[in-house]
């Protein structure tokens, strides 16, 4: 007997100029199952979901709901078919209440006037039934990420959606919140909802999903039952080869103290409390120290305080024996601090400048690039850019004169790394240097960090990725709610142990 | 004294109306710097209506027609902003500036042409409406009550209700804060922005006719509306984009503006011997100072001024 | 051919041309609506301006008039361009022009200074107004457009108040320089005889062109320009790499103010016009500067030509039959041109995508493999769209 699926995407092909984003991909979601969709960045997951939501029209292929072919021209069609999605970046209006966000778009009303009490009743019923705790009157900007996610889930349930898609839902959650989410997903599936779970985290997929479909470079690789497979097998399917999860590196030989931070406190821009509280740490030459933690626990503010983007509310920073607490960003840079910023588009690059102009962003004022009268030495800039482009293999359309906006994310990041490393810094502050990059680029960057360490530099890595936290550094510091709550030797700890500290369950 | 109160209220009404206009547009995500031009166009529409209505038209009809035409012209003129900002992702500052200059010159050209055609020796850009203007005024003792005062109060209350109590308001504000979120739940962002811009146009036009009937009985369109559209934007910023606060901010600004009109009625002010230029400058100086203290932590709609592109998610 | 079209300078030029043609066309339609019979003649008069005179010497004389007014207009548009490169819309140029005019006229008619000190006064006054806007922007987060407009009106009323001292009680206009402050009149450099004995033509014209070149060199060739443009494109990145972001905002608005202040000097120190202390609206010069700046593709060299064009049609407005039409028709046309300049981005986008399509076709035909093609970072493009 033929199985009826909640939703089927059959032989979907979607092309963009110069690239096939989805090449003959099929995906079948059974009723009441949790189905994982696995793939690296750029494997075609988001394109496939955009097709499902009617944002893109595929060149080939069909979509069936309950065995009947349907046409999805826009997100409204998808909504009408009962398809809902929790996006990776939540689609919530920050200055609205939880309730307003849930009803937005399907507001109960009489002659245009909102009838919120009706809505509130339904939301609270759903909240009880699925054990999704929320405060309907709190503003989104005031609540935790976990509650924001529950708001997103309630949005789907409020609309009576039957097919629920979760796009990388665990990236911003603590291990404990992840556990809760897994339980919620199981509850939902038990109530007959069909769940599509997009992720590249193998452990989570193994734990919660019934089946898993794998995409690689726009192509469909296969679907496996999680009960009959292993993480290694899934990983091989995902990247097409067996990757070593471990980075090769020698023992570190720490030297003299390069960076010393005493009782650093930084005010928060979002709330009245301090985002960073009394943080003290030291980084020595020849070691990589990693600050681990869940997103939003003060890491960003810590880095801003360290690099001078934000003033300190208290504390002292010493770099190579010099007090730089009050130094400007430029002074810190000249004294040997390099900074690979968290957000390469916001801070790291002037996207509308050429590659060469971006490569001298930290050095343009040096006599090598600017003469005494204040004119730029264009020839020297070109030569310097060509040198860096060669050394770091930065690929672009027109070499040094390429506008950076048109480059791929990996090459943009390479350009930043080239610029920051070539400054020959004493201290390298690298904040999520591999965010959003593919495996090859990640390997390259990890190697560069270790090379810096081996050359006797101090490296301070801030990372959210547990794999990176376990593999790259020589010491791990866990930050939770603006404080350092634990210090670990990566060789002697486990991800589980770190998780307890990262979530505030334990502290030293 | 009564005169000062009366003018304060009148100017506060104009500022509220126009600031509410700016408020709707910005809540939907479009910065409307063209309010000045919209005011001029609305004022022109209203002034010409008053001029051409038969002299035996009843007072009520004069009020209704004049206001209706001003609002309609304001809306039509705001189409220029809507098309450029919503569909062509044009620089909203540039478009607003162009609309201000265009409004003043277009109104001048139209009025002058009309004047010249009816009397070849008349090259002025003025429209007179001495008799018709009286339709807007009801004397209560010495206090001249203007219908615009009632209209402004109604507009303030209505704006509050629309923004915070209706489906439309919720959707409109969602588009100004997070258009991608609005789009993801099936709200047509372009449509909402159009609604915001058109309401803005209507209120701007209304503010325009209100402005030129305050204190004078003829208007030279070469003069535009003396930066009132921008004062209204300052009121809106000071009022934190909320109707209830806008009302208070408008009274403050209206007071200083009124002072420049009636300061010579106060002996002690006249005795100070301050040149009239100082009183003229006062509203602008005050608004600069107020802005300096209030802009630091402004709560402008997050997505305002950013063209919405359905493709880029 | 395609290569030429791909050049962004050429694209800017074509887009500007489209703006001009459309602007004139709509102006013509407006004239047609007013009175069809003379509309053609009128629009030709606007477009011809000084060329409407048959005698060569008269042509030169009126060309001189247009050029004399082009100089301040060019300065105003340079002011707009300079600030725009740092991401600021200096609508306050109109007020900086006014306060510059006020300062130089005060210097000339009340203090009886010679032309260079008067010019410097104008520059300083404009610079101070620019600094106010800059400081409010950098330290108080006040939108520069709104503070600029407020300063425009403050400047206007202030000027009217101050220049009362420099006029006859019977007249609304300040004294002519030739009677009240001869030393302040800008030198003619012998240009007078070239332009049909036009006494107003002088050093302002070459100076304005020189300033255009200086602005171009500063923006394109120097460290300062590199910093300012980086701040304009991405102020977060500018801060990240240690550029003094707030200083740059203030500095650029001060420079911008100086340029606009000098525009006032270049206008009133020719003695071509006198200030009218009863004037109730901010002079259009600063706003026309916006038109010239955008029409010139925000390029200082382009601005030389666009300023001339805008002034050309503005003067042309006075040549229409004033018994039927009014001179403001040319203001209307320049406002339309500014409006249309808002669509330049879209026009370039259309040109680019047309070219790309053509290229792709050519690629497919020649069967070359597009294997190593760069796929732009999706996130980059998204952020670009949000800028």
């Amino acid at each position: 007997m033929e199985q009826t699926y909640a939703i089927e995407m059959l032989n979907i092909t979607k092309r963009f100029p110069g690239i096939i984003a989805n090449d003959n991909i099929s995906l079948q979601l059974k009723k009441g199952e949790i189905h994982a969709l696995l793939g690296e960045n750029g494997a075609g997951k988001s394109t496939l979901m955009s097709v499902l939501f009617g944002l893109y029209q595929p060149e080939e292929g069909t979509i069936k709901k309950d065995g009947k072919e349907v046409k999805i021209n826009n997100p409204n069609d998808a909504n009408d078919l009962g398809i809902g999605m929790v996006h990776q970046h939540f689609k919530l209006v920050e200055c609205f209440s939880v309730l307003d966000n849930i009803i937005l778009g399907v507001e109960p009303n009489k002659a245009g006037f909102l009838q919120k009490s009706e809505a509130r009743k339904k939301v609270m019923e759903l909240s009880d039934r699925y054990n999704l705790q929320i405060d309907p009157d709190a503003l989104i900007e005031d609540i935790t990420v976990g509650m924001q996610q529950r708001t997103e889930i309630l949005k789907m349930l409020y609309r009576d959606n039957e097919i629920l898609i979760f796009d990388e839902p665990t990236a911003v959650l603590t291990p404990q919140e992840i556990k809760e989410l897994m339980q919620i997903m199981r509850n939902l599936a038990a109530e007959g909802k069909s769940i599509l779970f997009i992720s590249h985290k193998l452990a989570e997929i193994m734990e919660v999903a019934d089946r898993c479909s794998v995409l690689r470079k726009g192509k469909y690789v296969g679907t496996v039952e999680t009960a009959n497979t292993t993480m290694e097998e899934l990983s091989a399917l995902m990247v097409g080869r067996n990757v070593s999860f471990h980075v090769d590196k020698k023992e570190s030989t720490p030297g003299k103290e390069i960076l010393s931070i005493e009782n650093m406190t930084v005010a928060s821009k979002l709330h009245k409390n301090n985002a960073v509280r009394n943080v003290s740490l030291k980084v020595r030459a020849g070691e990589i120290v990693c600050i681990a933690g869940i997103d939003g626990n003060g890491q960003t503010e810590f880095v801003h305080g360290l690099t001078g983007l934000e003033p300190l509310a208290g504390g002292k920073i010493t770099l190579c024996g010099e007090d730089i607490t009050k130094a400007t960003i430029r002074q810190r840079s000249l004294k040997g601090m390099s900074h690979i910023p968290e957000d390469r588009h916001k801070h790291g690059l002037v996207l509308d400048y050429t590659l060469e102009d971006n490569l001298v962003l930290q050095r343009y004022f040096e006599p090598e690039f600017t003469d005494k009268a204040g004119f730029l030495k264009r020839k020297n800039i070109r030569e310097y850019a060509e040198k860096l482009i060669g050394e770091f293999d930065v690929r672009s359309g027109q070499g040094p004169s390429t506008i950076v906006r048109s480059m791929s994310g990996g090459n943009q990041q390479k350009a930043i790394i080239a610029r920051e490393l070539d400054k020959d810094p004493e201290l390298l502050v690298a904040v999520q240097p591999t965010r959003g990059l593919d495996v090859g680029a990640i390997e390259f960057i990890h190697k560069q960090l270790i090379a810096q360490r081996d050359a006797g530099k101090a490296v301070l890595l801030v990372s959210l990725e547990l794999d990176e936290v376990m593999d790259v550094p020589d010491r791990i510091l866990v930050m939770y709610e603006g404080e350092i709550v634990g210090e670990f030797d990566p060789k002697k700890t486990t991800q589980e142990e770190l998780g307890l500290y990262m979530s505030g369950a334990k502290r030293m | 004294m009564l005169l000062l109160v009366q003018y304060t209220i009148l100017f506060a009404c104009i500022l509220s109306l126009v600031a509410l206009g700016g408020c709707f547009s910005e809540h939907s995500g479009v910065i409307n710097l063209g309010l000045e031009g919209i005011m001029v166009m609305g004022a022109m529409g209203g002034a010409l209506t008053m001029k051409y209505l038969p002299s035996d038209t009843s007072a009520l009809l004069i009020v209704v027609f004049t206001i209706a035409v001003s609002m309609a012209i304001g809306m039509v003129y705001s189409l220029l902003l809507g098309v450029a900002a919503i569909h062509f992702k044009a620089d909203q500052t540039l478009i607003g500036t162009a609309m201000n200059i265009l409004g003043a010159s277009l109104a001048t050209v139209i009025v002058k042409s009309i004047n010249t055609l009816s009397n070849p020796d008349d090259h002025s850009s003025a429209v007179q409406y001495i008799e018709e203007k009286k339709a807007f005024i009801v004397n209560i003792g010495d206090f001249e009550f203007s219908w615009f005062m009632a209209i402004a109060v109604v507009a303030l209350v209505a704006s509050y209700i629309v923004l915070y109590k209706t489906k439309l308001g919720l959707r409109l504000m969602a588009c100004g804060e997070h258009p991608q979120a609005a789009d993801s739940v099936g709200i047509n962002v372009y449509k909402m922005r159009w609604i915001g811009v058109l309401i803005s146009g209507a209120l701007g036009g209304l503010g325009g006719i209100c402005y030129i009937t305050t204190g004078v009985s003829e208007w030279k369109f070469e003069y535009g509306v003396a930066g009132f559209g921008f004062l209204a934007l300052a009121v809106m910023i000071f009022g934190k984009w909320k109707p209830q606060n806008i009302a208070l901010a408008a009274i403050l600004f209206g007071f200083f503006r009124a002072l420049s009109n009636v300061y010579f009625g106060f002996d002690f002010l006249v005795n100070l011997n301050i040149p009239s230029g100082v009183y003229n400058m006062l509203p602008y100086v005050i608004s600069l100072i107020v802005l300096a203290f209030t802009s630091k932590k402004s709560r402008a709609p997050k997505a305002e001024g950013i063209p919405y592109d359905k493709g880029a998610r | 051919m395609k290569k030429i079209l791909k050049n962004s300078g050429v694209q800017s030029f074509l887009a500007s041309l489209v703006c001009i043609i459309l602007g004139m066309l709509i102006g013509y339609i407006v004239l047609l609506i007013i009175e069809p019979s003379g509309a053609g003649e009128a629009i030709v008069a606007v477009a011809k301006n000084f060329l409407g005179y048959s005698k060569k010497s008269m042509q030169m004389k009126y060309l001189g008039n247009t050029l004399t007014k082009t100089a301040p207009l060019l300065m105003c548009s340079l002011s707009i361009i300079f600030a725009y490169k740092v991401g600021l819309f200096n609508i306050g140029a109109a007020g900086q022009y006014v306060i510059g005019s006020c300062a130089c006229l005060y210097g000339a008619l009340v203090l009886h200074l010679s032309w260079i000190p008067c010019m410097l006064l104008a520059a300083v006054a404009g610079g101070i107004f620019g600094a106010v806007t800059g400081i409010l922007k950098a330290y108080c987060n006040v939108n520069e457009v709104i503070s600029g407009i407020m300063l425009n009106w403050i400047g206007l009323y202030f000027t009217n108040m101050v220049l009362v001292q420099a006029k006859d009680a019977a007249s609304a206009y300040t004294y002519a320089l030739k009677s009240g402050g001869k030393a302040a009149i800008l030198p003619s450099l012998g240009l007078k005889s070239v332009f049909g004995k036009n006494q107003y033509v002088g050093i302002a014209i070459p100076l304005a062109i020189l300033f255009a070149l200086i602005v171009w060199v500063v923006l394109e060739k120097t460290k300062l320009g590199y910093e300012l443009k980086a701040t304009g494109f991405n102020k977060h990145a500018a801060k990240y790499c240690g550029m003094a972001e707030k200083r740059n905002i203030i500095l650029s608005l001060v420079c911008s103010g100086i340029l606009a202040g000098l525009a006032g000097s270049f206008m009133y120190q020719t003695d071509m016009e006198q200030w009218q202390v009863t004037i109730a609206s901010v002079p259009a010069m600063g706003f026309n500067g916006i038109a010239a700046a955008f029409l010139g593709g925000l390029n200082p060299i382009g601005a030389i030509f666009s300023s001339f064009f805008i002034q050309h049609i503005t003067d042309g407005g006075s040549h229409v039959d004033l018994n039927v039409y009014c001179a403001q028709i040319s203001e209307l046309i320049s406002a339309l041109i500014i409006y249309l300049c808002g669509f330049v981005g879209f026009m370039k986008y259309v040109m680019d995508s047309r070219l790309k399509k053509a290229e792709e076709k050519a690629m497919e035909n020649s069967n070359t493999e597009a294997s190593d093609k760069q796929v732009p970072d999706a996130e980059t493009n998204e952020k670009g769209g949000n800028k």
Side-chain angles (χ1 to χ4, degrees), chain B residues 191-212:
Chain B
K191 182 177 144 197
M192 284 296 136
R193 292 198 163 176
W194 265 113
I195 291 174
V197 167
L198 289 175
I199 294 179
S200 178
L203 288 170
L206 184 58
I209 185 63
C210 182
Y211 179 71
I212 65 159

Side-chain angles (χ1 to χ4, degrees), chain A residues 488-502:
Chain A
F488 304 90
D489 180 341
K491 290 190 289 294
K492 292 178 191 153
T493 186
T494 60
Q495 297 204 355
E496 287 67 34
E497 188 184 12
L498 288 180
L500 290 173
Y501 286 83
M502 284 161 65

Side-chain angles (χ1 to χ4, degrees), chain C residues 249-273:
Chain C
I249 286 176
I250 297 171
L251 185 67
S252 69
L253 278 168
V254 168
C255 291
S256 195
I258 290 174
L259 290 166
L262 281 172
S265 151
F266 287 6
M267 179 72 202
Y268 287 96
Q269 281 182 253
T270 59
D271 209 21
M272 193 177 193
E273 283 181 10

Side-chain angles (χ1 to χ4, degrees), chain B residues 40 134 136 144 153-154 182 190 204 217 246 269 291:
Chain B
V40 175
K134 290 177 183 157
F136 289 89
E144 277 190 0
V153 173
V154 170
Y190 297 125
S217 315
I246 283 175
L269 287 178
L291 287 177

Side-chain angles (χ1 to χ4, degrees), chain A residues 17-19 309 329-330 339 341 343-353 357 360-362 364-365 370 374-376 378 395-397 405-409 411-412 419-420, chain C residues 217-218 220-231 233-244 360 370-377 379-381 383-385 387:
Chain A
I19 187 172
L309 283 165
I329 298 170
R330 176 66 52 83
H339 174 196
D343 187 335
R344 61 174 170 266
H345 294 149
K346 186 175 176 190
H347 287 115
L349 296 165
V350 179
L351 289 172
D352 295 300
Y353 263 4
D357 280 356
V360 295
L361 204 56
Q362 298 279 20
Y364 65 93
F365 49 85
T370 298
F375 286 89
L376 293 172
R378 279 281 159 208
R395 296 195 193 157
S396 61
R405 188 183 290 284
S406 70
M407 289 165 52
S408 70
N411 282 303
Q412 289 177 346
R419 180 181 77 208
E420 298 302 321
Chain C
V217 169
V218 167
E220 299 302 324
K221 300 286 168 196
T222 69
K223 185 182 92 172
L224 180 68
Y226 175 88
E227 282 200 2
L228 292 180
K229 283 193 295 178
T231 310
F233 281 134
N234 183 350
K235 63 178 179 185
H236 302 288
K239 186 177 178 190
Y240 152 83
C241 70
M243 294 175 187
E360 262 158 35
S371 57
D372 206 31
K373 200 159 186 181
Q374 286 271 326
V375 182
D377 191 359
E379 220 180 313
T380 322
N381 289 335
K383 293 221 169 139
K387 240 188 112 174

Side-chain angles (χ1 to χ4, degrees), chain A residues 297-309:
Chain A
N297 273 289
Q299 299 98 318
T300 303
E301 290 85 352
F302 167 78
V303 171
H304 284 188
L306 172 61
T307 54
L309 283 165

Side-chain angles (χ1 to χ4, degrees), chain B residues 18-30:
Chain B
V18 183
L20 286 175
C23 187
F24 274 100
S25 174
E26 299 214 353
H27 271 310
S28 78
V30 180

